[in-house]
mmCIF file of all heavy atoms in Angstrom:
data_model
loop_
_atom_site.group_PDB
_atom_site.id
_atom_site.type_symbol
_atom_site.label_atom_id
_atom_site.label_comp_id
_atom_site.label_asym_id
_atom_site.label_seq_id
_atom_site.Cartn_x
_atom_site.Cartn_y
_atom_site.Cartn_z
ATOM 1 N N GLN A 27 117.354 -1.571 22.773
ATOM 2 C CA GLN A 27 118.221 -2.423 21.964
ATOM 3 C C GLN A 27 118.988 -1.637 20.907
ATOM 4 O O GLN A 27 119.821 -2.190 20.212
ATOM 5 C CB GLN A 27 117.384 -3.524 21.281
ATOM 6 C CG GLN A 27 116.676 -4.442 22.263
ATOM 7 C CD GLN A 27 117.651 -5.107 23.207
ATOM 8 O OE1 GLN A 27 118.715 -5.576 22.811
ATOM 9 N NE2 GLN A 27 117.299 -5.141 24.485
ATOM 10 N N GLY A 28 118.674 -0.369 20.769
ATOM 11 C CA GLY A 28 119.375 0.444 19.783
ATOM 12 C C GLY A 28 118.926 0.128 18.363
ATOM 13 O O GLY A 28 118.201 -0.825 18.106
ATOM 14 N N ARG A 29 119.369 0.923 17.433
ATOM 15 C CA ARG A 29 119.099 0.684 16.015
ATOM 16 C C ARG A 29 120.393 0.908 15.253
ATOM 17 O O ARG A 29 121.139 1.842 15.527
ATOM 18 C CB ARG A 29 118.039 1.663 15.477
ATOM 19 C CG ARG A 29 116.639 1.365 15.899
ATOM 20 C CD ARG A 29 115.675 2.183 15.053
ATOM 21 N NE ARG A 29 115.813 3.614 15.309
ATOM 22 C CZ ARG A 29 115.030 4.295 16.115
ATOM 23 N NH1 ARG A 29 114.074 3.704 16.769
ATOM 24 N NH2 ARG A 29 115.203 5.602 16.287
ATOM 25 N N ILE A 30 120.669 0.055 14.305
ATOM 26 C CA ILE A 30 121.833 0.259 13.463
ATOM 27 C C ILE A 30 121.568 1.479 12.592
ATOM 28 O O ILE A 30 120.493 1.652 12.043
ATOM 29 C CB ILE A 30 122.097 -0.984 12.584
ATOM 30 C CG1 ILE A 30 122.404 -2.188 13.479
ATOM 31 C CG2 ILE A 30 123.245 -0.740 11.608
ATOM 32 C CD1 ILE A 30 122.555 -3.477 12.723
ATOM 33 N N VAL A 31 122.548 2.349 12.467
ATOM 34 C CA VAL A 31 122.353 3.608 11.756
ATOM 35 C C VAL A 31 121.925 3.389 10.315
ATOM 36 O O VAL A 31 121.089 4.107 9.792
ATOM 37 C CB VAL A 31 123.630 4.462 11.837
ATOM 38 C CG1 VAL A 31 123.573 5.632 10.874
ATOM 39 C CG2 VAL A 31 123.791 4.995 13.252
ATOM 40 N N ASP A 32 122.491 2.380 9.652
ATOM 41 C CA ASP A 32 122.073 2.092 8.283
ATOM 42 C C ASP A 32 120.572 1.843 8.225
ATOM 43 O O ASP A 32 119.879 2.328 7.326
ATOM 44 C CB ASP A 32 122.807 0.878 7.733
ATOM 45 C CG ASP A 32 124.219 1.211 7.281
ATOM 46 O OD1 ASP A 32 124.711 2.294 7.633
ATOM 47 O OD2 ASP A 32 124.825 0.385 6.582
ATOM 48 N N ALA A 33 120.058 1.076 9.173
ATOM 49 C CA ALA A 33 118.634 0.760 9.195
ATOM 50 C C ALA A 33 117.810 2.012 9.461
ATOM 51 O O ALA A 33 116.721 2.193 8.907
ATOM 52 C CB ALA A 33 118.345 -0.303 10.252
ATOM 53 N N LEU A 34 118.331 2.900 10.300
ATOM 54 C CA LEU A 34 117.642 4.154 10.592
ATOM 55 C C LEU A 34 117.497 4.982 9.320
ATOM 56 O O LEU A 34 116.422 5.502 9.018
ATOM 57 C CB LEU A 34 118.432 4.914 11.654
ATOM 58 C CG LEU A 34 117.855 6.202 12.218
ATOM 59 C CD1 LEU A 34 118.367 6.403 13.643
ATOM 60 C CD2 LEU A 34 118.240 7.408 11.377
ATOM 61 N N HIS A 35 118.571 5.089 8.555
ATOM 62 C CA HIS A 35 118.521 5.837 7.306
ATOM 63 C C HIS A 35 117.571 5.166 6.312
ATOM 64 O O HIS A 35 116.846 5.841 5.587
ATOM 65 C CB HIS A 35 119.921 5.943 6.711
ATOM 66 C CG HIS A 35 120.804 6.922 7.418
ATOM 67 N ND1 HIS A 35 120.748 8.282 7.211
ATOM 68 C CD2 HIS A 35 121.774 6.738 8.347
ATOM 69 C CE1 HIS A 35 121.639 8.890 7.969
ATOM 70 N NE2 HIS A 35 122.274 7.978 8.672
ATOM 71 N N GLN A 36 117.600 3.836 6.272
ATOM 72 C CA GLN A 36 116.698 3.123 5.363
ATOM 73 C C GLN A 36 115.243 3.385 5.728
ATOM 74 O O GLN A 36 114.378 3.506 4.854
ATOM 75 C CB GLN A 36 117.010 1.636 5.405
ATOM 76 C CG GLN A 36 118.340 1.265 4.771
ATOM 77 C CD GLN A 36 118.730 -0.176 5.026
ATOM 78 O OE1 GLN A 36 117.931 -0.965 5.530
ATOM 79 N NE2 GLN A 36 119.962 -0.516 4.694
ATOM 80 N N ARG A 37 114.991 3.461 7.024
ATOM 81 C CA ARG A 37 113.632 3.769 7.476
ATOM 82 C C ARG A 37 113.186 5.126 6.964
ATOM 83 O O ARG A 37 112.068 5.305 6.484
ATOM 84 C CB ARG A 37 113.592 3.725 8.997
ATOM 85 C CG ARG A 37 112.299 4.283 9.607
ATOM 86 C CD ARG A 37 112.430 4.352 11.115
ATOM 87 N NE ARG A 37 111.403 5.198 11.701
ATOM 88 C CZ ARG A 37 111.383 5.560 12.971
ATOM 89 N NH1 ARG A 37 112.333 5.146 13.779
ATOM 90 N NH2 ARG A 37 110.422 6.335 13.433
ATOM 91 N N LEU A 38 114.072 6.118 7.063
ATOM 92 C CA LEU A 38 113.730 7.451 6.568
ATOM 93 C C LEU A 38 113.512 7.441 5.061
ATOM 94 O O LEU A 38 112.600 8.086 4.547
ATOM 95 C CB LEU A 38 114.834 8.439 6.937
ATOM 96 C CG LEU A 38 115.008 8.756 8.424
ATOM 97 C CD1 LEU A 38 116.193 9.686 8.638
ATOM 98 C CD2 LEU A 38 113.749 9.364 9.017
ATOM 99 N N ALA A 39 114.364 6.700 4.354
ATOM 100 C CA ALA A 39 114.262 6.658 2.893
ATOM 101 C C ALA A 39 112.964 6.012 2.435
ATOM 102 O O ALA A 39 112.462 6.303 1.341
ATOM 103 C CB ALA A 39 115.460 5.906 2.318
ATOM 104 N N MET A 40 112.398 5.120 3.248
ATOM 105 C CA MET A 40 111.136 4.466 2.891
ATOM 106 C C MET A 40 109.955 5.409 3.041
ATOM 107 O O MET A 40 108.925 5.245 2.393
ATOM 108 C CB MET A 40 110.921 3.223 3.765
ATOM 109 C CG MET A 40 111.883 2.085 3.473
ATOM 110 S SD MET A 40 111.633 0.683 4.598
ATOM 111 C CE MET A 40 109.928 0.240 4.211
ATOM 112 N N THR A 41 110.106 6.411 3.905
ATOM 113 C CA THR A 41 108.994 7.319 4.214
ATOM 114 C C THR A 41 109.113 8.658 3.497
ATOM 115 O O THR A 41 108.107 9.265 3.134
ATOM 116 C CB THR A 41 108.923 7.564 5.731
ATOM 117 O OG1 THR A 41 108.895 6.303 6.410
ATOM 118 C CG2 THR A 41 107.695 8.373 6.102
ATOM 119 N N TYR A 42 110.356 9.106 3.275
ATOM 120 C CA TYR A 42 110.593 10.441 2.742
ATOM 121 C C TYR A 42 111.342 10.382 1.417
ATOM 122 O O TYR A 42 111.960 9.373 1.073
ATOM 123 C CB TYR A 42 111.402 11.271 3.751
ATOM 124 C CG TYR A 42 110.689 11.463 5.068
ATOM 125 C CD1 TYR A 42 110.946 10.616 6.148
ATOM 126 C CD2 TYR A 42 109.756 12.479 5.231
ATOM 127 C CE1 TYR A 42 110.286 10.792 7.357
ATOM 128 C CE2 TYR A 42 109.090 12.663 6.432
ATOM 129 C CZ TYR A 42 109.362 11.812 7.496
ATOM 130 O OH TYR A 42 108.698 11.987 8.684
ATOM 131 N N THR A 43 111.272 11.486 0.704
ATOM 132 C CA THR A 43 111.962 11.590 -0.578
ATOM 133 C C THR A 43 113.392 12.062 -0.345
ATOM 134 O O THR A 43 113.622 13.132 0.204
ATOM 135 C CB THR A 43 111.243 12.588 -1.501
ATOM 136 O OG1 THR A 43 109.893 12.170 -1.686
ATOM 137 C CG2 THR A 43 111.946 12.665 -2.850
ATOM 138 N N ILE A 44 114.350 11.223 -0.754
ATOM 139 C CA ILE A 44 115.765 11.537 -0.580
ATOM 140 C C ILE A 44 116.390 11.757 -1.955
ATOM 141 O O ILE A 44 116.354 10.872 -2.816
ATOM 142 C CB ILE A 44 116.518 10.401 0.142
ATOM 143 C CG1 ILE A 44 115.808 10.039 1.454
ATOM 144 C CG2 ILE A 44 117.968 10.805 0.389
ATOM 145 C CD1 ILE A 44 115.736 11.163 2.455
ATOM 146 N N GLY A 45 116.929 12.957 -2.183
ATOM 147 C CA GLY A 45 117.594 13.243 -3.444
ATOM 148 C C GLY A 45 118.993 12.648 -3.469
ATOM 149 O O GLY A 45 119.472 12.082 -2.479
ATOM 150 N N HIS A 46 119.656 12.787 -4.598
ATOM 151 C CA HIS A 46 121.005 12.205 -4.724
ATOM 152 C C HIS A 46 121.879 13.088 -5.603
ATOM 153 O O HIS A 46 121.501 13.445 -6.722
ATOM 154 C CB HIS A 46 120.925 10.806 -5.328
ATOM 155 C CG HIS A 46 122.265 10.192 -5.581
ATOM 156 N ND1 HIS A 46 122.634 9.685 -6.814
ATOM 157 C CD2 HIS A 46 123.340 10.013 -4.764
ATOM 158 C CE1 HIS A 46 123.871 9.233 -6.744
ATOM 159 N NE2 HIS A 46 124.318 9.404 -5.522
ATOM 160 N N LEU A 47 123.048 13.440 -5.062
ATOM 161 C CA LEU A 47 124.066 14.161 -5.828
ATOM 162 C C LEU A 47 125.169 13.168 -6.185
ATOM 163 O O LEU A 47 125.890 12.699 -5.301
ATOM 164 C CB LEU A 47 124.670 15.293 -4.983
ATOM 165 C CG LEU A 47 123.881 16.595 -4.892
ATOM 166 C CD1 LEU A 47 124.458 17.478 -3.794
ATOM 167 C CD2 LEU A 47 123.904 17.322 -6.220
ATOM 168 N N PRO A 48 125.314 12.806 -7.454
ATOM 169 C CA PRO A 48 126.316 11.804 -7.850
ATOM 170 C C PRO A 48 127.732 12.373 -7.908
ATOM 171 O O PRO A 48 128.420 12.302 -8.923
ATOM 172 C CB PRO A 48 125.822 11.362 -9.229
ATOM 173 C CG PRO A 48 125.167 12.585 -9.780
ATOM 174 C CD PRO A 48 124.495 13.255 -8.607
ATOM 175 N N ILE A 49 128.151 12.966 -6.795
ATOM 176 C CA ILE A 49 129.484 13.548 -6.673
ATOM 177 C C ILE A 49 130.122 12.941 -5.419
ATOM 178 O O ILE A 49 129.508 12.957 -4.349
ATOM 179 C CB ILE A 49 129.433 15.083 -6.538
ATOM 180 C CG1 ILE A 49 128.624 15.706 -7.688
ATOM 181 C CG2 ILE A 49 130.835 15.669 -6.486
ATOM 182 C CD1 ILE A 49 128.418 17.202 -7.547
ATOM 183 N N PRO A 50 131.351 12.419 -5.506
ATOM 184 C CA PRO A 50 131.973 11.762 -4.340
ATOM 185 C C PRO A 50 132.563 12.764 -3.354
ATOM 186 O O PRO A 50 133.780 12.897 -3.225
ATOM 187 C CB PRO A 50 133.053 10.882 -4.987
ATOM 188 C CG PRO A 50 133.454 11.637 -6.218
ATOM 189 C CD PRO A 50 132.175 12.269 -6.730
ATOM 190 N N PHE A 51 131.686 13.428 -2.617
ATOM 191 C CA PHE A 51 132.119 14.425 -1.648
ATOM 192 C C PHE A 51 132.612 13.804 -0.339
ATOM 193 O O PHE A 51 133.418 14.393 0.364
ATOM 194 C CB PHE A 51 130.965 15.373 -1.310
ATOM 195 C CG PHE A 51 130.735 16.459 -2.323
ATOM 196 C CD1 PHE A 51 129.482 16.646 -2.895
ATOM 197 C CD2 PHE A 51 131.756 17.329 -2.677
ATOM 198 C CE1 PHE A 51 129.260 17.665 -3.804
ATOM 199 C CE2 PHE A 51 131.543 18.348 -3.579
ATOM 200 C CZ PHE A 51 130.299 18.520 -4.149
ATOM 201 N N TYR A 52 132.071 12.633 0.015
ATOM 202 C CA TYR A 52 132.351 12.036 1.321
ATOM 203 C C TYR A 52 133.522 11.065 1.217
ATOM 204 O O TYR A 52 133.703 10.409 0.188
ATOM 205 C CB TYR A 52 131.110 11.293 1.826
ATOM 206 C CG TYR A 52 131.099 10.956 3.303
ATOM 207 C CD1 TYR A 52 130.711 11.902 4.241
ATOM 208 C CD2 TYR A 52 131.457 9.684 3.753
ATOM 209 C CE1 TYR A 52 130.675 11.593 5.598
ATOM 210 C CE2 TYR A 52 131.432 9.376 5.100
ATOM 211 C CZ TYR A 52 131.038 10.324 6.018
ATOM 212 O OH TYR A 52 131.020 10.016 7.363
ATOM 213 N N ARG A 53 134.320 10.987 2.284
ATOM 214 C CA ARG A 53 135.445 10.051 2.347
ATOM 215 C C ARG A 53 135.203 9.090 3.501
ATOM 216 O O ARG A 53 135.197 9.478 4.661
ATOM 217 C CB ARG A 53 136.764 10.806 2.571
ATOM 218 C CG ARG A 53 137.077 11.837 1.485
ATOM 219 C CD ARG A 53 137.390 11.158 0.143
ATOM 220 N NE ARG A 53 137.850 12.099 -0.848
ATOM 221 C CZ ARG A 53 137.081 12.684 -1.758
ATOM 222 N NH1 ARG A 53 135.778 12.428 -1.777
ATOM 223 N NH2 ARG A 53 137.589 13.520 -2.645
ATOM 224 N N PHE A 54 135.004 7.821 3.159
ATOM 225 C CA PHE A 54 134.662 6.794 4.145
ATOM 226 C C PHE A 54 135.867 5.892 4.380
ATOM 227 O O PHE A 54 136.321 5.201 3.463
ATOM 228 C CB PHE A 54 133.472 5.965 3.641
ATOM 229 C CG PHE A 54 133.014 4.896 4.592
ATOM 230 C CD1 PHE A 54 132.009 5.152 5.514
ATOM 231 C CD2 PHE A 54 133.574 3.623 4.557
ATOM 232 C CE1 PHE A 54 131.583 4.166 6.384
ATOM 233 C CE2 PHE A 54 133.154 2.637 5.429
ATOM 234 C CZ PHE A 54 132.150 2.905 6.341
ATOM 235 N N GLN A 55 136.375 5.900 5.594
ATOM 236 C CA GLN A 55 137.541 5.067 5.902
ATOM 237 C C GLN A 55 137.107 3.666 6.309
ATOM 238 O O GLN A 55 136.150 3.491 7.048
ATOM 239 C CB GLN A 55 138.358 5.687 7.042
ATOM 240 C CG GLN A 55 139.624 4.915 7.366
ATOM 241 C CD GLN A 55 140.564 5.727 8.201
ATOM 242 O OE1 GLN A 55 141.301 6.566 7.702
ATOM 243 N NE2 GLN A 55 140.537 5.507 9.495
ATOM 244 N N GLN A 56 137.840 2.678 5.834
ATOM 245 C CA GLN A 56 137.527 1.298 6.172
ATOM 246 C C GLN A 56 137.538 1.102 7.680
ATOM 247 O O GLN A 56 138.349 1.698 8.389
ATOM 248 C CB GLN A 56 138.548 0.346 5.539
ATOM 249 C CG GLN A 56 138.450 0.248 4.039
ATOM 250 C CD GLN A 56 139.302 -0.867 3.510
ATOM 251 O OE1 GLN A 56 138.807 -1.876 3.052
ATOM 252 N NE2 GLN A 56 140.614 -0.691 3.561
ATOM 253 N N GLU A 57 136.655 0.212 8.142
ATOM 254 C CA GLU A 57 136.574 -0.063 9.568
ATOM 255 C C GLU A 57 137.858 -0.699 10.072
ATOM 256 O O GLU A 57 138.427 -1.576 9.424
ATOM 257 C CB GLU A 57 135.398 -1.003 9.861
ATOM 258 C CG GLU A 57 134.037 -0.404 9.579
ATOM 259 C CD GLU A 57 133.637 0.619 10.611
ATOM 260 O OE1 GLU A 57 134.320 0.712 11.643
ATOM 261 O OE2 GLU A 57 132.646 1.327 10.375
ATOM 262 N N ARG A 58 138.308 -0.219 11.244
ATOM 263 C CA ARG A 58 139.408 -0.886 11.914
ATOM 264 C C ARG A 58 138.832 -1.967 12.818
ATOM 265 O O ARG A 58 137.713 -1.867 13.300
ATOM 266 C CB ARG A 58 140.201 0.110 12.780
ATOM 267 C CG ARG A 58 140.903 1.177 11.983
ATOM 268 C CD ARG A 58 141.718 2.049 12.920
ATOM 269 N NE ARG A 58 140.860 2.756 13.870
ATOM 270 C CZ ARG A 58 141.288 3.322 14.990
ATOM 271 N NH1 ARG A 58 142.550 3.241 15.323
ATOM 272 N NH2 ARG A 58 140.461 3.962 15.772
ATOM 273 N N GLN A 59 139.614 -3.012 13.067
ATOM 274 C CA GLN A 59 139.196 -4.018 14.025
ATOM 275 C C GLN A 59 139.352 -3.425 15.420
ATOM 276 O O GLN A 59 140.442 -3.096 15.850
ATOM 277 C CB GLN A 59 140.069 -5.282 13.887
ATOM 278 C CG GLN A 59 139.867 -6.008 12.579
ATOM 279 C CD GLN A 59 138.455 -6.510 12.418
ATOM 280 O OE1 GLN A 59 137.837 -6.971 13.370
ATOM 281 N NE2 GLN A 59 137.918 -6.418 11.206
ATOM 282 N N GLN A 60 138.244 -3.246 16.099
ATOM 283 C CA GLN A 60 138.287 -2.582 17.396
ATOM 284 C C GLN A 60 137.524 -3.415 18.403
ATOM 285 O O GLN A 60 136.325 -3.590 18.299
ATOM 286 C CB GLN A 60 137.672 -1.184 17.311
ATOM 287 C CG GLN A 60 137.682 -0.445 18.643
ATOM 288 C CD GLN A 60 136.976 0.881 18.532
ATOM 289 O OE1 GLN A 60 136.016 1.025 17.796
ATOM 290 N NE2 GLN A 60 137.431 1.862 19.274
ATOM 291 N N VAL A 61 138.234 -3.986 19.375
ATOM 292 C CA VAL A 61 137.597 -4.745 20.431
ATOM 293 C C VAL A 61 138.081 -4.173 21.757
ATOM 294 O O VAL A 61 139.215 -4.373 22.163
ATOM 295 C CB VAL A 61 137.941 -6.244 20.354
ATOM 296 C CG1 VAL A 61 137.251 -6.996 21.481
ATOM 297 C CG2 VAL A 61 137.547 -6.814 19.005
#
């Protein structure tokens, strides 16, 4: 059935220690409507 990637990351965050760099290095483009 697959896993949504967000949920996969959340699963890792619940088990492991994830640090955070408060610097906006990543550029996330809004989703296009794709059918």
Side-chain angles (χ1 to χ4, degrees):
Q27 299 303 317
R29 285 193 294 262
I30 298 175
V31 168
D32 281 14
L34 185 152
H35 285 280
Q36 290 171 10
R37 169 187 164 189
L38 292 177
M40 291 177 61
T41 308
Y42 299 96
T43 302
I44 307 298
H46 176 233
L47 279 168
I49 306 174
F51 280 126
Y52 196 82
R53 301 292 187 265
F54 181 92
Q55 183 165 279
Q56 290 190 110
E57 294 286 349
R58 295 183 297 163
Q59 293 298 321
Q60 180 184 34
V61 180

